[in-house]
Structure formats: C-alpha cells, structure tokens
Amino acid sequence: MDSKKIVCMFAVGALACQAAARFPSQQWERRDPAAVGLEGAWLDRLADALGGNGCVIKDGYVVKAWGSQSERSDWLSSAKPVLSTLLMFAIQEGKVAGPDALLRDFGWKLSEKDQSMTFHHLANMTSGYGRPEAPGAAFAYNDYAIQLYELTLFDKVFRTSPEAAANDPRRLGALGLEDALQFRAKDRRMSASVRDFARITWFWLNRGNWNGKPILPESYFRDNLKPQLPSSLPYTRPAETDDYLQVGTYGGGSDQVRVAGPGNYGFNWWYNDMGTRLTWPDLPRDAFASLGARGNNTFIIPSLNLVLVSANGDWSSFIPGDTNTRMNRHLKLLMQAANRAPPGNVTIQRFHTHDFSLSATAEGNPFDVDLAAEFTGPENTRLRVPGFYDGNGTWKIRFAPTIEGTWSMRTVSSLKAQIGRAHV
C-alpha cells in the first residue's frame, strides 16, 4: 500500500450536513451553542474581541449575537458580492445573457481599449476600467469599476432603484429580510442590519437554496463561487485613474489591494484556498468571505455549516497567509469554539478506507434516506461517496482518497435527515 498521507480538513470536531440546514422564518431561531456542538465561552471571547455588531449562525440557528441586530449600517466592500448575486438574478431572469455579456451592449461608450469588457471582468476586478491594461490583463481592486458595475445593474439592467431591485420578492426579498436593504444615493453603497446580512450569507452558504426552494440555480454558485483568477495574473501598473465615463467611485481608488487577489478572489468573494497555502491559516480550506473596510466582514464555512457576520468589528489588516494577524487570531477563536484544530493536525492514509459516522434523526424509514458525501480534493478533484444507514440513528460514509493533498467534505441528502455531528 502506498504510504503517502492525506490531510483531512473534516477530521476534528463537529461537521454539519448541508441537507439538514434550517432557515429562519420571520425571525432567526436561537440555540445554545452547546446544542449544536460549539463552546459558548470561545464565542464570548470572539464577540468581546471584535466588538461592534455581529452574530454567529450554526446549522441555521443564531448561537451568538452581540451589539444591535437591527441597526442598519454601511457594509462597504463586504456588500460587493451582493452585486454579483444580483447579476445572477439578472441572468436567471434573462436580462443578461451571462457573465460574459459585453458592457458595451448596455449603452456604455467604452474606449477602444475597453471594448471587450464583460460583467465577468467587473466581478473579478480585471475590467481594466480607468487603468492602463485591457480587460482581463491585470488585477486591480478598483472602486471605479465597482461603480460602473452598480450603475450598469441598477440603471441599465434592472432599470429601477437599488432598493426595488434588491428587495424584490423574486430576489433577495425572498429571504424574508426583517429590515430591508438600503442604498446611498451618492455611490449606491448598501446598508443592512446584521440579522439581514446573516440571511444573505446563509443564502450564499446554501448556494442559492432558501428553505428547500432554489431561488437561484445551484450551478450559478458552482460555476462562480470559487477563485476566478490565476495566481500568476499581474497587478495593474501604477497609473492615474482615467474615469472617462465619469461614473465616480464606490469609495476608494482604482488600485487599492496588492497583497491578494490573483489566486484567491472571484465574483467579489475572497477564498481561503489559495492552492499552495491558505488565506486564513486557521480556517478550513473551503471557507470564503466578504471583506469590507472598517471591520465589516463575513466568513462562511460550508464544511462546518457556520457563518460569522461582523459589522464594525476590530479586525485590523488583511494579510493573507499570516497566522499572527489580528484577523486570523479572531478566526482561530471561532475554530476553538467549533472544537477544530488547525488544518494539518490529522492525517489519513492514501487508499485506506475511513469511516465517518453521522448521528441523525429521520422521519419515516431511515433506510430510505439517500445520504451521500461530496469530497473536494487537490486540483478540484471531486468524489461523491454514497452513505448507508448503520442502525441506532447513525449513518456512515466510507471514504478511500485516491490522491495526495488536502480534502474537504460536505454531506448531502434527498430526504428528511436531521444530521447532527460527525466523528472520526
């Protein structure tokens, strides 16, 4: 037998089942952290360290909340993935042909250099707008391009106010927002309450599903909710911003971030998986985030069925790969609450069979529950492994990894299983 080892991201502590996800009705339901396998003392430390307003969602329940949950505040750049979510709605509704639709077809008089600009370029900070490079040639964290993105969506695609477009019951209004989304007239920046932004992040984690209904096709998230840029993509060259369309700015300049982007950015989300290293070393590899200035950040961890929402928190600087940053130390508190050791502490042998037990309750015959696990490994290798009922309220997944590297897992089911905890 080959003696090579494989690191397992799912091998310590609680592991959630996507199919068992709960959704809030008129209000979020609250649970004691211990009821969903979390250590409340660590969540208390996290809330104290962050300050501001925030909450932690586990398995569809609020397990920790601090500050005001209803106060609407500006989410700054953390709201940029909302634009890409609205683009998905526009595609679903036939208003935009797809991410590769050309901006020039929506009435913009683009320069000769920018004729090939698409929505995909805008969502991935590679549009070249206001920069010296052609679309797709370089990464530029560009708030002038974001303003162009917003104006195109609201004024030329939906042709209505940002509030009407976003809160529409066919779109984000379907999530049952308690306080509704607001947008500033000056720059279209979005304000939302913590409890409403938590609904949006829960929608992202569930890949377009809301309470069993596909509000957006899962395929849209499968195709777009991942790094979109090669790590070799260069940063834009130093140059003055040429805002020739006079769209203005979302808030910052046209070249703001040079510590990340290529390799861990896509559709306005930031991803933990950078291939050879992790953006946040103490988070599972499948984590992704929306990041905004002034401590407006959300972190979504599908393998733990967990979301952290933080408005005006004390996060400090974003330095990918550094375990000693305040941001990573705060995230480590979250992992300690989940009883998760840092990635790399548990190994399994290649080709060796490993059983993962999941305790659950199911309505009706437990043998009728169609449970499976989806494993994602190196080079985006995907394996689907069927599970089986093992008696006494326990289902098992048997996994024999075929190649060396880091693997993550999520469980899926077609029937009424309420999956609780998984143990190695």
Side-chain angles (χ1 to χ4, degrees):
M1 177 180 292
D2 196 316
S3 61
K4 290 183 179 180
K5 304 290 186 180
I6 295 179
V7 178
C8 271
M9 303 295 292
F10 47 85
V12 180
L15 196 149
C17 173
Q18 293 294 327
R22 293 181 61 88
F23 296 85
S25 53
Q26 291 185 334
Q27 296 179 331
W28 284 98
E29 187 175 345
R30 299 205 176 200
R31 280 284 176 93
D32 185 89
V36 292
L38 300 182
E39 296 287 343
W42 289 109
L43 295 180
D44 293 341
R45 289 184 59 180
L46 174 65
D48 290 343
L50 284 173
N53 304 324
C55 68
V56 174
I57 308 295
K58 177 74 169 77
D59 296 345
Y61 301 103
V62 174
V63 294
K64 180 66 181 178
W66 61 98
S68 173
Q69 301 297 291
S70 60
E71 176 188 351
R72 278 189 292 240
S73 61
D74 186 347
W75 284 85
L76 291 101
S77 291
S78 202
K80 289 173 182 175
V82 174
L83 297 178
S84 290
T85 306
L86 290 172
L87 174 61
M88 293 181 194
F89 281 111
I91 293 170
Q92 176 176 249
E93 296 166 20
K95 299 179 185 297
V96 175
D100 293 326
L102 294 167
L103 264 289
R104 70 187 187 198
D105 292 342
F106 290 84
W108 293 111
K109 295 182 178 180
L110 298 177
S111 69
E112 184 64 28
K113 172 184 75 70
D114 291 340
Q115 288 296 304
S116 64
M117 187 191 304
T118 66
F119 285 94
H120 186 275
H121 291 131
L122 289 171
N124 290 291
M125 297 292 187
T126 60
S127 69
Y129 180 71
R131 307 303 306 162
E133 296 85 10
F139 178 84
Y141 196 82
N142 184 346
D143 273 359
Y144 286 85
I146 289 295
Q147 196 68 358
L148 178 59
Y149 195 9
E150 287 195 311
L151 290 171
T152 305
L153 284 172
F154 296 133
D155 295 355
K156 298 178 180 293
V157 174
F158 294 116
R159 298 185 179 184
T160 188
S161 70
E163 287 83 3
N167 293 315
D168 190 299
R170 297 170 298 169
R171 301 175 193 134
L172 295 176
L175 311 186
L177 303 175
E178 295 184 62
D179 307 300
L181 306 177
Q182 289 185 339
F183 293 80
R184 295 199 324 186
K186 176 184 177 183
D187 49 27
R188 315 296 181 91
R189 283 218 305 255
M190 190 186 85
S191 291
S193 64
V194 164
R195 62 191 183 186
D196 277 353
F197 210 95
R199 288 179 186 247
I200 295 172
T201 57
W202 197 242
F203 181 60
W204 293 339
L205 183 148
N206 285 281
R207 292 178 169 240
N209 175 68
W210 194 256
N211 201 22
K213 181 180 179 181
I215 307 301
L216 282 172
E218 191 275 338
S219 61
Y220 288 8
F221 290 85
R222 184 181 65 244
D223 294 342
N224 299 312
L225 188 53
K226 60 185 178 182
Q228 301 280 327
L229 311 176
S231 57
S232 59
L233 188 72
Y235 291 100
T236 183
R237 301 190 305 273
E240 294 295 322
T241 302
D242 179 14
D243 181 21
Y244 62 87
L245 295 176
Q246 296 295 298
V247 296
T249 175
Y250 187 76
S254 64
D255 177 20
Q256 302 175 72
V257 176
R258 286 181 172 264
V259 297
N264 72 332
Y265 192 81
F267 260 59
N268 299 123
W269 285 287
W270 297 91
Y271 303 91
N272 200 28
D273 189 351
M274 297 181 70
T276 58
R277 63 189 181 120
L278 300 179
T279 304
W280 304 285
D282 281 289
L283 285 187
R285 187 170 288 269
D286 68 336
F288 62 99
S290 67
L291 301 181
R294 305 175 196 165
N296 291 282
N297 299 328
T298 71
F299 291 87
I300 301 97
I301 310 173
S303 59
L304 293 181
N305 219 24
L306 185 149
V307 164
L308 166 62
V309 179
S310 171
N312 301 305
D314 185 14
W315 288 99
S316 192
S317 300
F318 173 41
I319 306 176
D322 189 339
T323 60
N324 297 315
T325 62
R326 186 178 306 165
M327 180 176 287
N328 192 70
R329 293 199 305 270
H330 290 343
L331 295 172
K332 187 173 183 178
L333 293 175
L334 183 64
M335 291 301 94
Q336 288 170 311
N339 300 308
R340 284 291 297 259
N345 282 10
V346 180
T347 60
I348 60 177
Q349 288 183 323
R350 184 184 183 193
F351 298 126
H352 186 75
T353 299
H354 299 267
D355 284 355
F356 300 93
S357 298
L358 298 98
S359 59
T361 59
E363 299 179 14
N365 188 342
F367 290 97
D368 290 338
V369 174
D370 183 16
L371 176 69
E374 293 179 353
F375 294 85
T376 303
E379 299 179 359
N380 208 32
T381 302
R382 295 180 184 272
L383 298 175
R384 185 181 178 93
V385 180
F388 60 93
Y389 184 59
D390 198 42
N392 299 318
T394 301
W395 281 258
K396 280 190 176 179
I397 302 289
R398 284 184 174 161
F399 177 52
T402 56
I403 58 176
E404 182 180 8
T406 301
W407 291 82
S408 63
M409 177 183 101
R410 74 184 187 109
T411 48
V412 293
S413 172
S414 64
L415 287 183
K416 299 175 181 178
Q418 296 297 316
I419 305 298
R421 303 188 68 178
H423 305 276
V424 176

